[in-house]
Amino acid sequence: MALGEISHDCRRRLATHYGEAAGAWLARIPALMEDAADRWGLSLLGYHDAGHASVGVTATDSWGRAIFLKAWTDPARYRHEVAALRHWRGDLATKVVEAADDLAVAALEMVGGRPGGADRPAVEQALVAQALDDLHAIDACNPPVGIPRLSDYIRHELTPRIRRRLHTVQLAQWMPVAHAGLRALDDILRVPGRETVLHGDLYRENVLFADRRSPVFVDPLPMLGPAAFDWAFWVVYYEAGSGIEQRLELAVQVSGLSERDIHRWCSLLFLDGLLYYLEISDPRAVQFGKTAAAFAVRCEANRP
């Protein structure tokens, strides 16, 4: 089928994420997807209008298998994501069926046979916690070539971003969040942990279910770093503002890491997220700030 142009909402999201320079790439999307489909014998069905860093199209292969065709704006992000998914070969991460480096397009097996995966079970978070521990256990002695290091991200992106925003936003009642986050940042830079291949972007929409018992990780932003970062991201952002205590308890129980280690990363992520929400005047800032402040008070009470 002829895909036609992408939707206005998709164009807006990608332009917000990558700037107006993404416009020329977006105009090429129908041709890129049709080229990939021709190469791999896929039948295109239509756009799946989601995501902020890529464009997705649903398709089927010649055997009738449901395929998700994904095109990345950033070729480096394409390379890193495909490399990580191949490293995690098996049932824990979405399978790469085909990939075209010249197009920065990959054909992925659709989780659960439909966009968004199968229905989520009542014990979702316990299943995800066990799956994340299994993901981290996959051999990291031979990580994919070129995967960025979390330590570089902390030093060269996250730290300067936090320092800049601390001078441009009014924290007011959220100062305990800043104090806890900055202490955590200092600890993290001084005490590196054992590295594994991290997912790096553990929002709920990036963990789908193949069936009612099988979580599958999709859309990673992979890095090499300590597993505590992924656990903290999951605690803070999987469902921002709710279920924090339950996920923290599961993270400590399943990962075998110390609560203090995960606390450090949570404190840093809470500060980074709150500063972002405040900078863009996001209405979520107040509730997120309350959650982050309560967490900071708890961490302070538990400090040795």
Side-chain angles (χ1 to χ4, degrees), residues 17-34:
H17 196 85
Y18 286 105
E20 291 302 324
W25 177 81
L26 290 167
R28 295 173 50 228
I29 281 295
L32 286 176
M33 294 299 200
E34 289 161 12

Side-chain angles (χ1 to χ4, degrees), residues 225-278:
F229 173 85
D230 261 358
W231 286 107
F233 197 109
W234 182 66
V235 169
V236 172
Y237 285 118
Y238 190 72
E239 288 185 281
S242 67
I244 299 289
E245 297 302 324
Q246 178 191 5
R247 287 195 296 279
L248 180 59
E249 182 178 347
L250 278 169
V252 173
Q253 175 186 334
V254 174
S255 72
L257 298 169
S258 71
E259 188 168 341
R260 186 181 178 192
D261 197 13
I262 297 173
H263 271 176
R264 290 192 188 106
W265 287 102
C266 287
S267 295
L268 182 57
L269 292 171
F270 269 127
L271 175 57
D272 186 44
L274 178 60
L275 289 171
Y276 170 71
Y277 287 147
L278 291 171

Side-chain angles (χ1 to χ4, degrees), residues 12-269:
R12 175 183 52 78
R13 287 195 304 272
L14 271 291
T16 298
H17 196 85
Y18 286 105
E20 291 302 324
W25 177 81
L26 290 167
R28 295 173 50 228
I29 281 295
L32 286 176
M33 294 299 200
E34 289 161 12
D35 187 351
D38 286 343
R39 291 187 193 186
W40 302 326
L42 304 178
S43 299
L44 301 177
L45 300 178
Y47 290 110
H48 179 60
D49 195 7
H52 294 77
S54 60
V55 174
V57 170
T58 59
T60 57
D61 65 13
S62 56
W63 295 277
R65 178 173 48 170
I67 297 293
F68 190 75
L69 202 58
K70 184 173 180 179
W72 286 258
T73 313
D74 180 359
R77 185 159 179 169
Y78 153 80
R79 291 193 301 272
H80 299 156
E81 183 168 333
V82 168
L85 292 175
R86 285 173 166 164
H87 175 75
W88 293 323
R89 60 195 177 279
D91 296 327
L92 288 169
T94 186
K95 294 179 177 64
V96 179
V97 178
E98 300 281 1
D101 293 352
D102 59 323
L103 303 178
V105 175
L108 310 173
E109 188 171 88
M110 197 177 298
V111 178
R114 67 187 193 194
D119 293 338
R120 295 173 183 270
V123 291
E124 171 185 351
Q125 297 199 10
L127 291 171
V128 173
Q130 186 57 62
L132 182 57
D133 192 52
D134 292 342
L135 194 78
H136 290 154
I138 294 174
D139 180 25
C141 294
N142 296 296
V145 175
I147 292 289
R149 292 190 175 276
L150 175 61
S151 57
D152 291 336
Y153 167 72
I154 296 296
R155 287 189 174 89
H156 303 308
E157 293 187 44
L158 188 142
T159 300
R161 182 170 73 211
I162 285 177
R163 302 291 185 190
R164 175 182 61 79
R165 286 173 174 162
L166 283 171
H167 288 91
T168 59
V169 305
Q170 295 296 319
L171 277 171
Q173 72 267 40
W174 312 128
M175 284 305 297
V177 180
H179 293 320
L182 292 174
R183 276 196 301 268
L185 177 60
D186 183 58
D187 288 346
I188 285 163
L189 291 174
R190 288 189 295 104
V191 187
R194 184 178 68 85
E195 291 187 336
T196 189
V197 181
L198 304 172
H199 182 283
D201 208 29
L202 286 165
Y203 294 102
R204 191 170 186 241
E205 60 265 28
N206 291 341
V207 185
L208 307 181
F209 277 77
D211 53 49
R212 293 190 65 80
R213 300 293 300 178
S214 305
V216 179
F217 295 97
V218 303
D219 297 343
L221 193 60
M223 294 176 284
L224 293 177
F229 173 85
D230 261 358
W231 286 107
F233 197 109
W234 182 66
V235 169
V236 172
Y237 285 118
Y238 190 72
E239 288 185 281
S242 67
I244 299 289
E245 297 302 324
Q246 178 191 5
R247 287 195 296 279
L248 180 59
E249 182 178 347
L250 278 169
V252 173
Q253 175 186 334
V254 174
S255 72
L257 298 169
S258 71
E259 188 168 341
R260 186 181 178 192
D261 197 13
I262 297 173
H263 271 176
R264 290 192 188 106
W265 287 102
C266 287
S267 295
L268 182 57
L269 292 171

